[in-house]
Amino acid sequence: MAAALKAGADEVVQYTKVDLKKTVKQLTKKKGVDVIFDPVGGDFAQKAVRCMAWGGRYLVIGFAAGSIPKIPANLLLLKSCALVGVFWGAWVKRNPMGALQNMGEIAQMMQEGKLTDMVSKIYSLKDTWQALDDLKIEG
């Protein structure tokens, strides 16, 4: 969370330790969030959808939690929000020129210093499991 704040996030929420919907409503003055980027899925997906702003977008990136969430369609209707699958690998295969253009734009932003990497620690290959455990802790 400290890394997100350092990178420019306006707010961060430790969603496993607070009432997510209540906290998001407080932070957004009852509006809700416009975009949710979810690479995790699992038990918190439905709670996250309940935090959406009117017309928001929930981006399904993956299921790192291991379980695929069941999201009731009525929540999408009530929020007039969109549930969007983002399968980057398939998109690249279907749109290689667009992917090339995106990578060029990313390289340009890095060259201009607008986008930088954030390396907190370097691990040897033999310490891969420790690195993954550290990611879970530091998130």
Side-chain angles (χ1 to χ4, degrees):
M1 291 182 25
L5 288 168
K6 183 178 177 184
D10 294 324
E11 303 286 348
V12 294
V13 176
Q14 179 50 289
Y15 61 89
T16 60
K17 296 186 178 178
V18 298
D19 180 319
L20 183 62
K21 185 177 178 182
K22 181 179 174 183
T23 302
V24 167
K25 293 294 181 185
Q26 287 173 341
L27 292 172
T28 62
K29 298 179 177 71
K30 298 187 180 181
K31 179 184 178 237
V33 295
D34 294 317
V35 177
I36 293 177
F37 176 97
D38 184 6
V40 179
D43 296 337
F44 284 94
Q46 191 175 131
K47 291 177 183 181
V49 171
R50 293 179 186 278
C51 297
M52 297 295 306
W54 179 263
R57 291 161 296 160
Y58 186 102
L59 308 177
V60 179
I61 311 299
F63 309 105
S67 63
I68 297 174
K70 309 288 185 262
I71 298 176
N74 69 315
L75 293 179
L76 305 175
L77 175 68
L78 294 172
K79 303 275 188 176
S80 190
C81 65
L83 183 65
V84 181
V86 181
F87 188 177
W88 185 79
W91 182 81
V92 168
K93 286 181 181 176
R94 293 171 187 254
N95 190 356
M97 293 310 294
L100 183 62
Q101 182 180 350
N102 282 354
M103 294 307 290
E105 289 175 20
I106 290 169
Q108 181 69 33
M109 287 189 285
M110 291 184 78
Q111 210 169 32
E112 293 170 356
K114 294 178 182 176
L115 185 64
T116 60
D117 57 356
M118 187 178 289
V119 179
S120 60
K121 188 172 179 182
I122 296 173
Y123 296 85
S124 68
L125 187 57
K126 70 178 176 58
D127 295 326
T128 299
W129 291 113
Q130 182 62 52
L132 293 171
D133 284 342
D134 290 351
L135 274 176
K136 280 195 270 185
I137 293 167
E138 296 169 17

